[in-house]
Amino acid sequence: MTRRSESATEATGTASFTRLSEPARRFLRAETGGAALLLAATVTALLWANSPWSGLYESLWHVRAAISVGDATLAMDLESWVNDALMALFFFVVGLEVRREFSIGELTDLRRAAVPVVAALGGLVVPALLYLAIVPEGEATRGWGVVIGTDTAFMLGALALVGPRYSTQLRVFLLIFTVIDDIVAVSVIGLIYSRNLNGSAILIMIALCGVMALLSRMQVWRAAPYLIVGAALWLAAYHAGLHGAIAGMLGGLLIAARTPAREAVETAEQYFRAFRQSPMGVVGRSARLGLERAVSVNERLRVVLQPWVSYFVVPLFALANAGVDLRGGVLGEALTSSLTWGVVVALVIGKLLGVGVTTLAAERIGIGSLPQGVGKGHVLGGAALAGIGFTVSLLIAGLAFDDQLIQDQAIVGVLLALVIATVLGRLVFRAAALFLGETDADLPRLLDRPVEAGIDHIRGPVDAPLTLVEYGDFECPFCAKATGVGRELREHFGDRLRYVFRHLPLPDVHPHAELAARAAVAAGYQGRFWEMHDTLFAHQNELEYEDLAGYAAKLGLDVERFLRDMNSQKAEARVRADVASAEASGARGTPTFFVNGERHVGAHDTQTLARALERSAPPAREAPPRRR
């Protein structure tokens, strides 16, 4: 799929998860699934730590575990393995996501990123200052780092539960700001909370970072070298006295994300076609390797590691760190502690003001604009949910405080903030829906301009009961593949389907797309739109001005008239009208499909679109009863 700033596809699922039942897979793929597991682990830890078996809980995490290779041994207790090693994997995935956003995602366009970046800075500074105002002195002041982080997984899970029914655009906004949040939080861990640093090991880390960057620059496509260097980077960070989060984040940031090259995608397709004809092991291996070459290492590692991080690493971290024994007056002391309430107020009120008010102020003074579909109430609701610090907050609490009592008070504050921020977010979203009419935080989902015979380019009967509208770009490789999908759907549905093509050229990534769109319009003035449509997609790499004139001649068009029409304001206006309808309909990339007037979300292969068309088909009319 091609967007204005990217052209990428992403595989979904992993081999280990395909063995699960379909309901289980749907649950695990949902954001609420990860958040639910995290919440379950937190509740389990609290109940366990306050049960008659609390001694077992404490002793479990102090069990020593070691890895030995020859005379070299690395030994830590289980809690340290979780917090230092497994959480490094968590931050490695975070680093991959951050690099992707900077390489081919939302942060490639600084205009769109301006407001979320300002929101992130406000969400870091305001809570820290508010915490220090409440806890101005003593060892507790070291806890200001506890309140700067936002737990992305928990926040998005809470958004799915208490936010608007459709919140795609709000999710994008929140993800951009948490990217900055994560970078700063990890930097704080490395610069503020690391002790007894080893200079030699730091130099080794720098060298390993250089190796990782070189692998990425050389576009080494196998994942194994990156994982080996990443493991060595973590080991060097451990010996340097730095938290494993630093190594994880650095490793992820150094692996570039790239859009799939057209040639690589076509090569992979050829391998799979060969495997379909000759299903032999050696051919299947070539097909698998071809697919791996087409998708960047960054994308592949994220897809493989994300489920393990979300459904194993982070819940295990919560199980190991959220178990505070509240008996013996600990809860009472926490509820009367300025540290506990400093954490609560800084996370709940500080994030609401720091993220919400800063965002609205930035938009008001013209620094940037909110994503389409996101209102002021949505921003404040998302800012309230940003008060869910949890993972990063618990991690920093363990690093900031040596005193177990003070650490427990901070953890109680983090847990209270989680509950209060979720409830507050729900109230804000509800108020926004009631008083501001902000029910959805999503792009438009309905086709803005209905299909009109004589204006739109239509294949099939103009009065067919099923309609499939495609917004496409003649230079987009994925649109070219979609032409085959359209042909198969027309063969499948016959006269029941009308197929409509509308123009959405993306000139910032496809420099010839706009000229090609005008060429198709000009051919349409001579009744040969679809012939030119097919020709342009068949020659995507040859869309220069003289190429277009040659195609017109081959199609038997009046070339002089064709060139005059192609350069006319009329053709330009026709393309602009389609682009305007795409914007108004929520189409932001190509190809985007509308099934019977509603934007299709998800895969756009023949089978998926056929099912969507069948589901949206109007009910068949019953034949009137015969008169006797």
Side-chain angles (χ1 to χ4, degrees):
M1 178 177 182
T2 304
R3 299 196 323 197
R4 292 193 182 277
S5 60
E6 67 178 282
S7 172
T9 54
E10 181 172 324
T12 56
T14 60
S16 56
F17 281 83
T18 57
R19 300 186 183 93
L20 299 175
S21 65
E22 181 56 30
R25 289 202 301 270
R26 286 200 302 268
F27 172 77
L28 289 178
R29 287 189 188 121
E31 289 160 351
T32 51
L37 288 175
L38 190 55
L39 180 60
T42 302
V43 172
T44 300
L46 283 170
L47 293 176
W48 193 356
N50 290 274
S51 73
W53 304 280
S54 57
L56 178 61
Y57 177 84
E58 289 294 330
S59 60
L60 171 65
W61 303 113
H62 289 91
V63 171
R64 300 285 290 180
I67 296 177
S68 297
V69 179
D71 295 331
T73 300
L74 178 62
M76 294 188 289
D77 58 32
L78 289 183
E79 184 178 11
S80 297
W81 277 110
V82 171
N83 291 351
D84 284 7
L86 290 182
M87 286 305 288
L89 187 63
F90 166 79
F91 283 103
F92 179 69
V93 174
V94 170
L96 291 172
E97 181 63 37
V98 171
R99 180 58 186 269
R100 181 184 186 279
E101 291 301 320
F102 277 106
S103 297
I104 59 175
E106 297 296 330
L107 292 177
T108 57
D109 187 342
L110 296 180
R111 294 169 298 176
R112 286 186 295 182
V115 173
V117 168
V118 172
L121 295 177
L124 294 164
V125 173
V126 174
L129 293 177
L130 198 54
Y131 176 86
L132 292 174
I134 297 173
V135 188
E137 58 186 15
E139 183 185 354
T141 57
R142 285 179 52 82
W144 62 269
V146 173
V147 301
I148 65 173
T150 296
D151 189 305
T152 305
F154 235 138
M155 178 186 65
L156 294 181
L159 177 64
L161 291 173
V162 306
R165 180 182 178 187
Y166 299 103
S167 55
T168 305
Q169 290 296 90
L170 180 58
R171 286 182 71 259
V172 171
F173 172 81
L174 293 176
L175 281 171
I176 298 174
F177 112 75
T178 56
V179 161
I180 309 300
D181 184 289
D182 287 332
I183 293 175
V184 175
V186 173
S187 300
V188 166
I189 291 173
L191 298 175
I192 306 298
Y193 296 113
S194 296
R195 305 168 186 173
N196 303 320
L197 299 181
N198 182 324
S200 299
I202 291 177
L203 291 176
I204 294 174
M205 283 185 64
I206 294 173
L208 289 171
C209 286
V211 173
M212 185 80 84
L214 183 62
L215 289 173
S216 183
R217 186 174 183 81
M218 294 174 61
Q219 299 188 27
V220 174
W221 62 273
R222 292 186 182 274
Y226 297 92
L227 295 175
I228 293 171
V229 175
L233 184 60
W234 175 83
L235 194 60
Y238 173 80
H239 287 292
L242 294 169
H243 193 275
I246 302 296
M249 179 68 83
L250 285 174
L253 286 172
L254 290 170
I255 302 177
R258 298 181 178 87
T259 58
R262 181 184 303 173
E263 296 78 9
V265 173
E266 291 174 349
T267 300
E269 183 184 28
Q270 291 171 1
Y271 282 134
F272 273 95
R273 192 181 299 118
F275 178 70
R276 185 177 180 180
Q277 296 172 349
S278 303
M280 297 183 295
V282 64
V283 182
R285 183 175 183 274
S286 298
R288 180 179 61 81
L289 295 178
L291 180 60
E292 289 183 1
R293 285 177 179 272
V295 181
S296 71
V297 177
N298 182 295
E299 299 279 345
R300 282 186 277 126
L301 287 176
R302 278 193 315 109
V303 169
V304 171
L305 296 177
Q306 184 67 59
W308 294 105
V309 167
S310 298
Y311 310 125
F312 176 71
V313 173
V314 176
L316 185 61
F317 170 81
L319 186 65
N321 290 272
V324 180
D325 191 341
L326 302 175
R327 297 168 297 181
V330 173
L331 180 59
E333 290 184 19
L335 293 177
T336 58
S337 167
S338 61
L339 187 153
T340 299
W341 292 107
V343 170
V344 173
V345 172
L347 280 172
V348 176
I349 305 301
K351 289 289 186 180
L352 179 62
L353 296 176
V355 175
V357 176
T358 303
T359 297
L360 298 179
E363 187 204 19
R364 183 69 180 270
I365 64 178
I367 291 179
S369 59
L370 295 174
Q372 183 182 1
V374 176
K376 294 179 174 59
H378 296 143
V379 169
L380 294 176
L385 295 183
I388 302 175
F390 202 74
T391 304
V392 176
S393 296
L394 293 183
L395 185 60
I396 294 180
L399 297 172
F401 305 121
D402 296 323
D403 188 305
Q404 186 63 48
L405 178 60
I406 296 178
Q407 187 179 131
D408 289 346
Q409 291 173 356
I411 293 174
V412 171
V414 171
L415 296 176
L416 285 173
L418 186 158
V419 176
I420 297 172
T422 303
V423 173
L424 180 60
R426 172 59 178 167
L427 293 175
V428 173
F429 284 126
R430 183 64 177 163
L434 288 175
F435 300 111
L436 301 177
E438 297 176 353
T439 55
D440 290 349
D442 193 12
L443 290 170
R445 295 185 300 280
L446 300 179
L447 190 65
D448 176 71
R449 174 166 58 82
V451 175
E452 299 179 60
I455 296 178
D456 279 303
H457 309 296
I458 302 174
R459 262 179 170 165
V462 296
D463 58 349
L466 301 178
T467 301
L468 182 67
V469 177
E470 177 191 352
Y471 284 94
D473 174 317
F474 286 112
E475 209 172 354
C476 165
F478 304 105
C479 294
K481 301 298 182 186
T483 59
V485 172
R487 182 176 59 254
E488 293 173 1
L489 288 171
R490 294 195 308 276
E491 292 173 356
H492 176 76
F493 289 102
D495 289 343
R496 295 174 58 205
L497 176 69
R498 60 177 182 175
Y499 177 79
V500 181
F501 184 88
R502 288 182 177 177
H503 304 282
L504 183 54
L506 307 177
D508 54 348
V509 289
H510 298 142
H512 304 95
E514 197 162 342
L515 182 63
R518 295 207 307 268
V521 171
Y525 292 150
Q526 299 186 46
R528 306 297 293 275
F529 172 83
W530 289 108
E531 291 87 342
M532 181 62 77
H533 166 279
D534 296 343
T535 300
L536 294 175
F537 274 127
H539 298 86
Q540 282 193 316
N541 296 323
E542 301 168 309
L543 297 178
E544 299 290 346
Y545 191 89
E546 57 273 17
D547 296 322
L548 302 177
Y551 303 147
K554 289 181 180 179
L555 292 175
L557 302 180
D558 181 334
V559 177
E560 184 177 349
R561 178 189 169 190
F562 168 82
L563 294 176
R564 187 170 59 250
D565 287 339
M566 184 173 66
N567 295 312
S568 68
Q569 292 184 353
K570 181 181 177 182
E572 183 180 354
R574 175 69 178 79
V575 174
R576 280 205 311 267
D578 277 1
V579 172
S581 74
E583 293 283 343
S585 304
R588 292 295 180 271
T590 55
T592 295
F593 291 94
F594 285 77
V595 175
N596 281 347
E598 186 169 347
R599 180 159 50 85
H600 173 74
V601 178
H604 47 261
D605 57 280
T606 303
Q607 292 76 17
T608 302
L609 287 172
R611 287 194 297 268
L613 284 163
E614 293 285 9
R615 285 195 301 268
S616 66
R621 295 180 180 179
E622 294 184 5
R626 294 181 179 179
R627 294 181 179 179
R628 295 182 178 179

